[in-house]
Amino acid sequence: MKQSEDPGAYRKILLASVSAMVAETTTFPVDLTKTRLQLHGESVSVGSTGRTNAFRVTSEIVREQGPVGLYKGLSPAILRHLFYTPIRIVGYEQLRSSLKSDGGSLSLPAKALSGGISGVVAQLVASPADLVKVRMQADGRTVAQGMQPRYSGCFDALNKIVRAEGVGGLWKGVFPNVQRAFLVNMGELACYDQAKRFVIENRISEDNIYAHTLASIMSGLSATALSCPADVVKTRMMNQSRSKEGKIMYNNSYDCLVKTVKVEGLSALWKGFFPTWARLGPWQFVFWVSYEKFRQIAGFSSF
């Protein structure tokens, strides 16, 4: 049994990567809308309302850039998930197995901690790709204003960031990034695991697409509520770059948090909540249904 653990882990990594790419491609336009909503307000004067919504943002993107504009930044997003998703999914499963006593079930707090830790490790590795994704998504606003985009592609962005900000610049915003990853995975993985077992054990559904759908909805809501404030701070920290005078808008994550609340109010920390959940729900549905099916085909037990 021990001999099959390593090959099995590699196959699970491959299955998680493929499932993540399918889910990311399917739901990316909603993620782009969420990012634009979270950045909205930085360029709005204090005296103006500057109100907008997901439908208006999406309409503006399609009108100004065409349908292809909804996929601006897809390549670094997929690159990110080639590292991020397999590490957190397989890492969580390994932690769960190592902490679980023989025949016993792991408690919800232990599952939450396992999810948070696996998410932190995964995000530390994938942070550069996440930075490029946010920068390229934000570039769409620059194009809409009649200016040239900062980056022509994924590798051009990596090259320019390293030259202008150093290698450490690739991990800009890493603290709110890691903080968000801990909260997202604490809510998402633990809640999906717990909710699916609740549905099955209470005979609401068998271990099938219905159980996976119900569990993904619950985990999506939990992850969004916990992570949205950190996501707003993360997005704004990662999007900022130094001006010609060498100035930046936010000195650190706490400064960003304070300035956001002071200028836009406490509710700004949950800006983009609906599109965040609207994306997490479908993303998790596509991912978990695909991943569970691929696991079944590959001869693995349910997650």
Side-chain angles (χ1 to χ4, degrees), residues 241-248:
S241 56
R242 291 187 181 276
S243 65
K244 292 181 179 179
E245 295 79 22
K247 295 180 180 180
I248 54 176

Side-chain angles (χ1 to χ4, degrees), residues 12-26 81-82 85-86 89 282-295:
K12 287 175 183 177
I13 288 172
L14 177 62
L15 298 180
S17 297
V18 174
S19 301
M21 285 191 288
V22 173
E24 188 67 21
T25 303
T26 303
H81 275 287
L82 288 176
T85 297
I89 296 296
W283 195 98
Q284 289 192 51
F285 169 73
V286 175
F287 172 78
W288 286 114
V289 170
S290 301
Y291 185 54
E292 296 274 23
K293 190 64 178 177
F294 288 149
R295 285 174 68 102

Side-chain angles (χ1 to χ4, degrees), residues 88-156:
R88 71 190 183 94
I89 296 296
V90 179
Y92 172 80
E93 195 169 7
Q94 294 292 334
L95 280 172
R96 184 181 64 182
S97 298
S98 63
L99 293 174
K100 186 168 57 177
S101 57
D102 294 338
S105 179
L106 207 61
S107 66
L108 182 58
K111 288 178 181 178
L113 182 61
S114 298
I117 292 172
S118 62
V120 165
V121 174
Q123 192 59 58
L124 282 171
V125 175
S127 195
D130 202 14
L131 175 72
V132 172
K133 183 193 77 168
V134 171
R135 294 277 184 95
M136 288 184 68
Q137 287 178 331
D139 257 3
R141 296 193 308 166
T142 305
V143 174
Q145 293 167 1
M147 295 183 287
Q148 288 293 323
R150 291 177 290 182
Y151 315 111
S152 61
C154 180
F155 293 105
D156 179 57

Side-chain angles (χ1 to χ4, degrees), residues 8-40:
Y10 288 125
R11 283 194 293 160
K12 287 175 183 177
I13 288 172
L14 177 62
L15 298 180
S17 297
V18 174
S19 301
M21 285 191 288
V22 173
E24 188 67 21
T25 303
T26 303
T27 62
F28 189 79
V30 185
D31 184 48
L32 177 64
T33 301
K34 178 209 72 173
T35 299
R36 295 285 185 85
L37 273 173
Q38 290 175 336
L39 293 174
H40 180 80

